[in-house]
Amino acid sequence: MNIFQESSKVEEFLRDKQLQLPAFEQCSENTQRLRNRLLKFYQNDPFSPDADFVVFGSIARNESVGDSDVDWTLLIDGQANPAHANYANEIRRKIDEGPFKKPGTAGTFGNTTISHDLVHYIGGELDTNKNITRRMLLLLESERINFRQNESEDGNAYDRVIKLILQQYFDHDSGLTRKHKETIPRFLLNDMIRFWRTMCVDFAYKQKEQQGQKWGLRNIKLRMSRKLIFVKGLLMCFSQYKKDHIREDFIDSMGNKVAMHPFELFIDLKEHFEIDDDDIVKLLKSYNVFLADMNNNDTRKKLEEMDMEQVDSDNSFKTLRDNCDDFKGTLDSIFLKKSSKLKDLTLKYGFF
Amino acid sequence: MNIGYSTGSIAKGDFNLAIEILSSHDITAIELSALRENEIRTLITSLNQLNLSRYQYVSFHAPSKLELIEENELIDILQSVPEAWPIIVHPDIISNYKEWEVFSSQLCIENMDKRKPCGRTVRDLQFIFNQLPEATFCLDVAHARQVDPTMSQCYQMLKVFPERLVQIHLSDVTSDSNHVPLNMQAMDAYKRIIGNIPNNIPVILESPLFPGPHQQERIAKEIELARDLFYERAAFAQ
């Protein structure tokens, strides 16, 4: 079973390292089952090319566990049409009635998303928490549920909106458009960093609002899966380091990376960035431990029920936290300690 | 460069009238359109009688839907089109690629708008060209822009299929896939890619300007816009 799409590079890497990742495989199977259930919503594609059923989070990362949420939206890019609301209601009903865990109550998912806000409000007062979350997740962990299985994935609302967002990050990045020197897409990188810090700040906000409930689960997810998508954002931006950027090539290259799992991107770029294979193996092993814990109903339930006051005295949480520390240690080593092109870029663009 | 017009955009279902209307305009290319299948037989039987001597470039647009005639019947009919004229075909009418090989490079595949299930992107087109290795390419810039408003797909089409490119279709397309005349927004988008279109590639306008008040003036203006757009293409080269 391919755990990261159908990347031959990844398969080759895992074979070469004789690496077994049972939790990844289990989650991949869970995701495929979930995906198949979603595909049964409609026998034929009900949507015009102006709308797409898009999922985020663990499904898009191919990492669903037993009771993963279905974070979804009906993405609209086209003429206003009352039928869009009907479709969104229908999907919500199907999710409610099916064996699915509903999305959270914040309203970020589980309804329609209009492309205009995603494309036009990058920064400024109208770029709400919800808007930046939807926009960044589209780039970092999203998947279109393709009800036309035999047809191309390109040229639909999902594809168009991603390209338009990337175009905005190109057109309004003076470093890229003026073509003076070697650089990266700083506008996009800054938004990636902003999104990561927004997730971190929201973690503290929810801690206050929900009085520490579910603190354990949120903490571990923030330190593993949320951090991993930030890492994907960094790799995407740093991969564009060069002179004489061409807008269309940028959109094409970044668009192709949107569909890649963060580890797929790591393996794809390891030679380019001079990343040690051993460090990637360490990351994969830590992440496999995380997925195994998330996929274990007892552990997950315990984590969900664990509030902030309880974690320090709990041995199982300590084990999970140690794994998070290992994961962070390896990322520190890759991005900040060992000499490499990636370290140079991180130091040059990641902070000041 | 050759700039011309599609007869189907000037007088629906009446190619003779379209040719007559276009005769007063400064164009050197024409596309004979049989976009609706009920037009094709009449057009084919009239080909010998049409005076097209003023045109340096002529192409023929096959029907975009097949409801009244079968695919193999259409292939038979199209074999009467002079070999020098590219036959523009929407790839979604093709179900049996083998049968179309008879046209070799005369078969010219057009990229599609967002409603169509195939032929919309480089990847879609690559699949089609793998089935029809000799086929050439008609780039409809309006379709390409509708599918990808950033024009990156259009740019990639020009980069990936430069040897196949024989003709450009020029107009704008609305979000509900209707062709409309050129406008600033569309032209600004096209400026991003026209530097990559060789000077010898004919441009066929598909902006619908049917008989009515000021039709001739509007056609003349549309041709002028197209000419202006392509005139300074070197300035937009990437």
Side-chain angles (χ1 to χ4, degrees):
Chain A
M1 165 137 228
N2 289 316
I3 51 180
F4 307 120
Q5 312 288 334
E6 295 191 2
S7 164
S8 56
K9 261 192 178 176
V10 174
E11 295 302 313
E12 201 180 305
F13 181 82
L14 299 182
R15 230 185 358 259
D16 185 44
K17 303 295 168 195
Q18 296 183 321
L19 200 54
Q20 299 292 316
L21 300 169
F24 273 97
E25 286 176 20
Q26 183 59 54
C27 289
S28 178
E29 284 171 18
N30 294 341
T31 310
Q32 200 46 52
R33 266 198 301 277
L34 198 51
R35 217 175 260 136
N36 289 341
R37 281 193 205 126
L38 294 172
L39 282 167
K40 282 186 185 148
F41 278 11
Y42 298 101
Q43 291 299 315
N44 297 304
D45 191 352
F47 311 120
S48 75
D50 291 349
D52 270 321
F53 179 36
V54 176
V55 291
F56 301 93
S58 56
I59 305 178
R61 291 194 313 274
N62 222 25
E63 292 174 11
S64 297
V65 295
D67 63 345
S68 286
D69 304 354
V70 179
D71 290 337
W72 65 273
T73 196
L74 185 66
L75 179 65
I76 315 293
D77 179 47
Q79 284 185 311
N81 184 341
H84 292 147
N86 299 340
Y87 278 121
N89 288 335
E90 192 173 68
I91 293 169
R92 194 176 303 117
R93 183 178 54 74
K94 286 172 190 275
I95 298 273
D96 288 351
E97 289 173 359
F100 304 105
K101 199 172 168 195
K102 290 178 220 170
T105 51
T108 308
F109 307 112
N111 44 37
T112 53
T113 298
I114 311 297
S115 63
H116 294 226
D117 292 356
L118 300 177
V119 173
H120 292 295
Y121 303 144
I122 304 184
E125 283 186 28
L126 296 171
D127 194 8
T128 58
N129 197 326
K130 203 183 280 185
N131 199 50
I132 185 178
T133 302
R134 287 169 167 174
R135 185 175 65 247
M136 284 295 132
L137 290 184
L138 264 183
L139 300 183
L140 296 173
E141 54 168 29
S142 65
E143 177 180 327
R144 168 183 178 247
I145 299 297
N146 185 3
F147 292 102
R148 297 183 184 209
Q149 287 290 292
N150 301 321
E151 286 176 19
S152 155
E153 286 276 359
D154 306 327
N156 43 58
Y158 173 71
D159 189 51
R160 287 198 304 275
V161 173
I162 285 174
K163 288 194 164 96
L164 284 167
I165 291 171
L166 291 170
Q167 182 190 328
Q168 292 289 76
Y169 283 113
F170 187 97
D171 285 352
H172 304 289
D173 188 322
S174 54
L176 299 187
T177 52
R178 288 194 297 178
K179 301 184 178 183
H180 285 171
K181 56 181 183 180
E182 289 182 318
T183 189
I184 59 146
R186 278 199 198 216
F187 178 21
L188 177 58
L189 176 73
N190 286 332
D191 226 14
M192 295 281 187
I193 294 171
R194 178 166 74 126
F195 176 57
W196 161 237
R197 294 301 180 190
T198 299
M199 289 193 286
C200 297
V201 170
D202 279 357
F203 168 74
Y205 171 76
K206 282 180 183 167
Q207 174 186 307
K208 184 188 81 171
E209 285 295 298
Q210 299 178 11
Q211 299 175 341
Q213 282 177 16
K214 289 189 181 179
W215 190 93
L217 183 63
R218 280 207 194 96
N219 181 273
I220 298 297
K221 281 166 80 172
L222 181 67
R223 300 186 65 190
M224 297 297 289
S225 50
R226 305 267 189 267
K227 187 174 288 176
L228 187 64
I229 61 168
F230 171 53
V231 167
K232 177 180 171 181
L234 292 177
L235 293 174
M236 284 171 77
C237 291
F238 292 154
S239 73
Q240 299 299 312
Y241 180 69
K242 63 173 186 176
K243 206 177 169 183
D244 294 335
H245 289 265
I246 293 173
R247 183 219 315 246
E248 289 74 17
D249 287 339
F250 170 82
I251 292 168
D252 193 50
S253 163
M254 293 293 268
N256 289 335
K257 289 178 176 60
V258 165
M260 293 168 84
H261 188 282
F263 281 117
E264 205 181 341
L265 205 51
F266 253 124
I267 292 166
D268 195 51
L269 295 169
K270 68 188 173 73
E271 271 105 29
H272 177 72
F273 283 140
E274 303 163 340
I275 305 169
D276 281 354
D277 284 6
D278 290 350
D279 284 331
I280 297 177
V281 169
K282 277 188 206 165
L283 288 178
L284 282 164
K285 283 182 175 170
S286 295
Y287 207 80
N288 190 61
V289 169
F290 160 72
L291 288 181
D293 286 324
M294 291 297 105
N295 202 31
N296 180 317
N297 281 341
D298 293 339
T299 312
R300 194 178 163 94
K301 197 162 186 301
K302 195 174 170 190
L303 272 175
E304 272 180 349
E305 288 166 358
M306 199 179 283
D307 66 31
M308 200 171 58
E309 308 304 324
Q310 298 168 306
V311 296
D312 287 333
S313 57
D314 188 280
N315 277 339
S316 58
F317 185 81
K318 186 179 175 306
T319 312
L320 287 165
R321 196 171 50 195
D322 288 348
N323 186 52
C324 295
D325 289 343
D326 288 345
F327 189 67
K328 180 187 183 301
T330 313
L331 288 174
D332 283 344
S333 172
I334 293 172
F335 281 88
L336 297 167
K337 291 182 182 165
K338 287 188 181 169
S339 293
S340 70
K341 276 188 197 163
L342 193 54
K343 179 187 169 186
D344 295 343
L345 290 167
T346 309
L347 293 177
K348 188 169 179 184
Y349 296 107
F351 300 96
F352 302 110
Chain B
M1 71 175 301
N2 286 318
I3 289 189
Y5 231 109
S6 159
T7 56
S9 305
I10 298 294
K12 258 184 202 166
D14 192 343
F15 52 88
N16 280 313
L17 176 61
I19 291 169
E20 191 190 320
I21 292 169
L22 289 171
S23 65
S24 60
H25 293 278
D26 181 21
I27 53 173
T28 51
I30 192 164
E31 183 175 278
L32 301 174
S33 170
L35 212 57
R36 292 148 210 88
E37 46 189 334
N38 58 3
E39 300 169 83
I40 192 163
R41 289 182 204 278
T42 328
L43 178 55
I44 288 281
T45 51
S46 311
L47 288 181
N48 289 337
Q49 292 128 49
L50 299 178
N51 182 3
L52 303 173
S53 57
R54 64 184 288 241
Y55 297 111
Q56 292 170 24
Y57 175 84
V58 182
S59 61
F60 187 97
H61 202 311
S64 60
K65 263 187 203 161
L66 294 184
E67 286 166 348
L68 306 171
I69 49 179
E70 299 289 326
E71 185 179 353
N72 55 2
E73 211 180 335
L74 174 67
I75 291 170
D76 283 346
I77 297 169
L78 289 173
Q79 289 187 50
S80 303
V81 176
E83 275 181 35
W85 300 356
I87 301 172
I88 315 300
V89 172
H90 288 188
D92 57 318
I93 66 162
I94 299 178
S95 60
N96 187 345
Y97 289 102
K98 206 83 193 146
E99 301 267 315
W100 290 85
E101 280 179 3
V102 65
F103 296 108
S104 188
S105 61
Q106 190 183 9
L107 177 65
C108 184
I109 300 292
E110 178 179 349
N111 61 302
M112 294 288 89
D113 65 41
K114 66 181 182 183
R115 295 170 304 173
K116 298 296 175 75
C118 63
R120 295 171 301 181
T121 61
V122 170
R123 219 178 330 201
D124 289 358
L125 290 166
Q126 190 64 69
F127 173 82
I128 293 160
F129 289 133
N130 287 345
Q131 317 301 313
L132 297 162
E134 303 293 320
T136 47
F137 176 41
C138 168
L139 171 62
D140 188 310
V141 290
H143 288 169
R145 175 169 171 256
Q146 189 207 37
V147 167
D148 172 14
T150 71
M151 297 302 281
S152 62
Q153 274 297 316
C154 188
Y155 172 83
Q156 298 297 340
M157 284 174 193
L158 288 165
K159 226 165 118 175
V160 177
F161 309 120
E163 313 292 328
R164 295 185 189 272
L165 185 68
V166 295
Q167 176 183 310
I168 302 292
H169 271 165
L170 182 66
S171 69
D172 188 19
V173 167
T174 60
S175 60
D176 54 348
S177 302
N178 288 319
H179 282 270
V180 291
L182 291 168
N183 52 69
M184 290 288 284
Q185 213 178 331
M187 286 169 60
D188 282 346
Y190 302 155
K191 281 175 188 169
R192 290 184 202 144
I193 52 91
I194 55 170
N196 299 340
I197 298 172
N199 206 25
N200 62 339
I201 300 296
V203 176
I204 299 292
L205 278 155
E206 281 196 319
S207 311
L209 291 172
F210 300 117
H214 313 293
Q215 187 200 22
Q216 292 288 13
E217 291 93 319
R218 293 179 69 200
I219 292 171
K221 189 182 158 211
E222 200 70 2
I223 293 166
E224 200 182 321
L225 280 176
R227 211 180 295 285
D228 288 350
L229 179 67
F230 280 87
Y231 183 70
E232 289 184 63
R233 78 177 75 198
F236 304 112
Q238 282 187 337

